[in-house]
Amino acid sequence: MSTKEPSEADILRPINTLTKKYFLVYGIAAIGLLAFIVAWGYQLQKGLVVTGLGDWGSGGGSTWGLYIGAFIWWVGVAHGGIILSAAVRLLGMDRYMPIARLAEMTTIGGLSAAGFYIIVHMGRPDRMVTSIIGHYHITVNNSPLVWDVTVITAYFVLSATYLGLTLRYDVNRLRDDLPDMFEPIYKIMTIGYTKREDEVIQRMVWWLAAAVIIMAPLLLHGGVIPWLFALLPAMPAWTGAIQGPMFLSIALMSAISGVIIISYGFRRAYDWDHIITDDIFRGLLLWLGFFTLLFLWFQLQAVFNGIFLGPLDKAHAAEAKIAHPLYRIAIGLIFASLVYIFAQGIRPALFSKKRALVVSCAVLMGTLTEKVLFVVEGFMDPHFNIYANTPGSYFPSAIEWLSLVGTTALVVLLFLNLSKLVPVVELHAIEHLRGEHEHSEEATEPEVEA
Amino acid sequence: MSTDDESFHPLGDEWEDELETMLDDTEYDSDLGMEMAQDAMRVTKGELSEAEFHEKHHEAVMEEFGEDERPTKEAYEAAQEEAKGTASRMLDAFDGDGGETRRETMKKMGVGAAAVGMGAFSSTRDGPMESLSAEGGHSETTEHSDTQWGMTIDLERCDGCLTCMTACTQENDLDAGVNWMYVMAWEDELHEGHEEGTDTGVYSSDFNMGSDFNMLVRPCQHCTDAPCEKVCPTTARHTRDKDGLVLTDYDVCIGCRYCQVACPYGVNYFQWDEPHTDYEDIPKAKDRDVDSPDEITHAQYEHGERWVDSRAPRGVMSKCTMCPSMQDGQQGDEKVGTSACETACPPNAIQFGNVKDEKSDPYQHREHPSKSRAVIRLSSEHTDSSGIPSPETIDGTLSSDDDIESALEKFENLDKETLSIMKAVELVSDRTEPGDEENNSILRKEQEVVAAVDAFEQYVDLETDAAITQLQLGDGSERQARFRIQQYTGKPNSFKLLEDVGTNPNVTYLGEQPGPEAEQVEGPTKYEDVGLVDKRQDLLDEETVGGIDGVSL
């Protein structure tokens, strides 16, 4: 651990500095987003025919593909992010307080990307409001897609409230050191603030965290999102109760990996060795290992159920899955990550932040590949598998690939913008690190010894 | 769904209180009434079986009323068809009733429980509910529609000519590869198909078997429990109340394609790009006499019109519609109760109509497949024996000293086998009047057969032992006649596609059911030979931006 004392100046550094590197990253991200928006404009003009998608069945295509795969992946990142943050608050895992806000911002970013994908994926996005809101009272009773939109919206509101409430404390106290040009925004954020509310806000945030922890497995990434697929008997590659836990484990893996990458970036950029400590990376890595283990276990269950004596449709789907080279690569990446995490747990000398970064990227690539494959697999081995043109073919078009660049750029830009506006590390965390936080409690998790 | 947590009744507390007051006004035990009502409600929700319900209150009912006329389990099941109503629907029946006020009517019901306990009581013989629903039935409750368009498709008559597919494509101006109607040949372990090397595979005889291929004809199944409708986030995919057609409102659909994902049959086709036929050009198809494309594309609803028919515009989902513009009479009365594919089918393998109507073609064909096959074949224009002579022709041709041989010689198209089948049909026919509804051609043709046989028998007795023997009708009994027909037409299996998925499809098939491992094989007619495209992906791939040929996930 560093001997430096964490200070307010540390967390204000991103706001009050402007470097060439920042502009460079900003420029690249902006170009990435712009490139996709142009491509999307072309798609709107020509129709979805510009994608690699098609009709499953006699048509020999895949109805959904990368757009939906990436959509559920981003939702997973988002849900995992807020679960991480809620766990920190609810279970008193104070050790991770410095990254709690980054996790919350990841949620906002992930949900924005996911929401964008919903619109990009539709044939008539212009009708989003009239057709969906207009019939909401009917469709909410039975359409998993409507449940989906509902929970994502609810989650967005919940996360934004959560973030907004905790920011009031910081912004109020650090106001004098924040740039004047954002004055109106700070005014709105801290409207009606008094110091007496701190305790109330603490309680509200606790309850919001409790709601997140309860809702996430039951309704969100452990419920409604997998139900979009798991409830359909037409596609044996998707059906089954295992999808709930499976999706949740993927969400948590992706989110932890995402937070590791973002934390790494901020630590490096702003010399936060003493704030986002090695210990945090070690801890996150162990959690990542835990959820990776769960994920591999669920995969084993799902596949083995199909290939041992599965009903024919399920058996075909499972056989096709394990035979797919990309599936093997994805699972291989994730398994290798688990092996490394396990090894560095036993021999701490094997740990390095760079390795943690590599593992996180591997896991994210693995989960994204698995998600896109998962979506496509449904159409390749349907229950009614009579068509000569099924399994069909699907390969994402350039525009679809570009959507990954665009949404990633969107999230990067969100972080770049937010980091100039508000502290991305909580004031509470600094206070806690200095040992002066009034609410500090015993950490429930013993720190890993280096 | 309850409007109030406290109330067991769908209409809520207030309504429940009102009912209770009414019950108090009767001479019977209100508590028992309310309790039974509550339980009856549970029956409708499926929490309690009818049998349990019956048993639970039997003693109390006997004590209170001296009799328990509530239907037993078996009776209830039989009656259920008629009185499917839920509480609210039964009670809806009181609305708009010109005669008595609701309160009076309720009182008249006497047995208090019946007031709220609807379902379980509704089928009581001579019970109060029956008369009530009869007098109060209101025409706006369309969920009980007597019409459900559907099909019975005889796969053994299908010769795989693909005429239905091209007819559908023309009728709806579909893009290449959008095969709302799809016909395929298939094979599995138990059903070997056509062998290589034999000529066309189509039998030279015009007998019922169309070919030695196993065929499957796949329009949209217009499921009663359509998964596509269930998952739709917009209600664009909906079931039209008046006739059970499952349609897509092209003005509402957002193109999320979840319907295509959820449909186990794969009947949906998305409009990935601009359709090749402009909207204004829709009326230009041949045989169309309409002023505006709207007359073809828009269908009639209780409240106005919706754009649900013909090819979809860009960005929305489409599938077989079963031609609502025809069913609504917008293409002329003669097309009501027909579909483009049915009309086009040369061997009459497709029977379209109201599957709920006992006299309709799909119903008759489903319930009496062999007889219906015989009737269709006897009167089919596409067979060598076309045209059963009319009674007038028979009267003008035969004389009383004719015997079977000499009589048959006088008709060009009539041979002994045809006469034998005609007589067999006459023997098994229960002479049901076809009625004046649409799609009753099977019963109508059956009547023609019967009339012809009756006329024939004015001159030649076909019921003598010698005649019966000559016509190979065994002992001349109905049973033997049935055998004779089955010998002639076969006795097909019937099935619905993917019944295990629980969609309740409205298409019934006659013939062999493809097993779970069945695979499509090349059929007797190639898609490209009749101008159709099978694998649409090949066309879509041409427009893909930066796609890589031959690479697939």
Side-chain angles (χ1 to χ4, degrees), chain A residues 2-184:
Chain A
S2 172
T3 49
K4 274 190 279 180
E5 176 93 330
S7 67
E8 276 83 355
D10 284 327
I11 60 168
L12 285 167
R13 201 172 309 129
I15 302 172
N16 296 323
T17 56
L18 216 47
T19 61
K20 267 189 201 154
K21 273 187 188 160
Y22 178 87
F23 280 116
L24 190 70
V25 177
Y26 204 103
I28 293 171
I31 290 169
L33 181 59
L34 198 70
F36 176 60
I37 287 180
V38 169
W40 181 39
Y42 185 69
Q43 177 185 303
L44 286 174
Q45 196 190 347
K46 290 278 171 183
L48 282 160
V49 71
V50 300
T51 64
L53 299 165
D55 306 300
W56 82 267
S58 76
S62 180
T63 310
W64 289 349
L66 187 145
Y67 285 159
I68 290 290
F71 158 73
I72 50 177
W73 183 75
W74 275 119
V75 177
V77 170
H79 285 169
I82 197 80
I83 292 170
L84 208 68
S85 154
V88 171
R89 299 193 192 288
L90 201 67
L91 307 177
M93 293 155 76
D94 292 344
R95 175 187 183 186
Y96 299 105
M97 260 167 88
I99 54 148
R101 185 165 289 159
L102 286 177
E104 286 151 29
M105 289 174 168
T106 308
T107 298
I108 301 289
L111 288 180
S112 308
F116 191 23
Y117 264 118
I118 293 183
I119 298 168
V120 166
H121 152 89
M122 291 193 319
R124 290 297 305 260
D126 53 311
R127 293 176 178 166
M128 179 87 188
V129 173
T130 48
S131 287
I132 296 186
I133 313 274
H135 304 98
Y136 184 82
H137 59 293
I138 300 166
T139 53
V140 73
N141 294 305
N142 41 30
S143 174
L145 204 56
V146 175
W147 303 343
D148 226 73
V149 173
T150 308
V151 298
I152 289 174
T153 310
Y155 228 42
F156 193 89
V157 172
L158 205 67
S159 312
T161 309
Y162 191 108
L163 185 59
L165 285 177
T166 53
L167 276 169
R168 285 165 71 88
Y169 180 89
D170 294 23
V171 170
N172 181 264
R173 277 167 185 71
L174 301 170
R175 182 81 165 273
D176 294 342
D177 298 315
L178 294 171
D180 289 341
M181 65 173 176
F182 300 129
E183 183 66 15

